[in-house]
Amino acid sequence: VQLVESGGGSVQAGGSLRLSCAASKYTVDTRSTMAWFRQAPGKEREGVAALQAGGVYTYYADSVKGRFTISQDNPKAFMYLQMNSLKPEDTAMYYCAARGDRGAWYGPLEKASYNYWGQGTQVTVS
């Protein structure tokens, strides 16, 4: 399984970015559970948004509700994170994560629930 993020960059506060996660050797469909996490320097990696059942169920951290939208494109095996009204506190490395068919379930925004990770894409908001 390989997850590759893209779409990060530098933006002014109030701006928008769209992150993409391309999955290979991982089936993105109604059975998949995928998520976006972020990690700022000196802080723990935290769950930002997650989806299950092809996006029927979505979950968001309180800090991003109403500003971020997670979605997936099954045929293309892509997952997206649309980020609007960005704030300086959104600055972090953003990681794509996918759950396999093993391991305990700790909840959609808990990093221990996920088996596969991308390398991350940097988002800087000034």
Side-chain angles (χ1 to χ4, degrees):
V1 174
Q2 185 176 23
L3 304 173
V4 179
E5 303 94 336
S6 62
S10 297
V11 64
Q12 291 187 337
S16 298
L17 284 173
R18 187 194 195 204
L19 304 184
S20 299
C21 173
S24 60
K25 299 183 180 179
Y26 182 82
T27 301
V28 178
D29 61 15
T30 56
R31 295 165 296 176
S32 54
T33 297
M34 301 183 74
W36 288 97
F37 285 74
R38 67 186 181 187
Q39 187 167 18
K43 294 188 176 181
E44 292 287 322
R45 189 171 298 190
E46 63 173 354
V48 175
L51 53 73
Q52 292 180 298
V56 172
Y57 305 105
T58 56
Y59 311 88
Y60 295 94
D62 288 342
S63 59
V64 306
K65 281 180 182 177
R67 300 188 298 122
F68 290 12
T69 303
I70 189 171
S71 62
Q72 69 181 55
D73 184 330
N74 293 354
K76 296 181 180 179
F78 267 75
M79 180 178 66
Y80 304 100
L81 185 68
Q82 178 66 44
M83 306 187 295
N84 298 327
S85 302
L86 283 161
K87 304 175 181 180
E89 51 263 43
D90 295 318
T91 295
M93 185 72 78
Y94 283 71
Y95 298 90
C96 172
R99 178 170 172 79
D101 57 3
R102 66 184 191 279
W105 177 248
Y106 297 94
L109 297 179
E110 295 296 326
K111 55 184 182 290
S113 296
Y114 295 88
N115 307 103
Y116 308 109
W117 295 85
Q119 293 300 305
T121 185
Q122 178 68 38
V123 171
T124 302
V125 185
S126 59

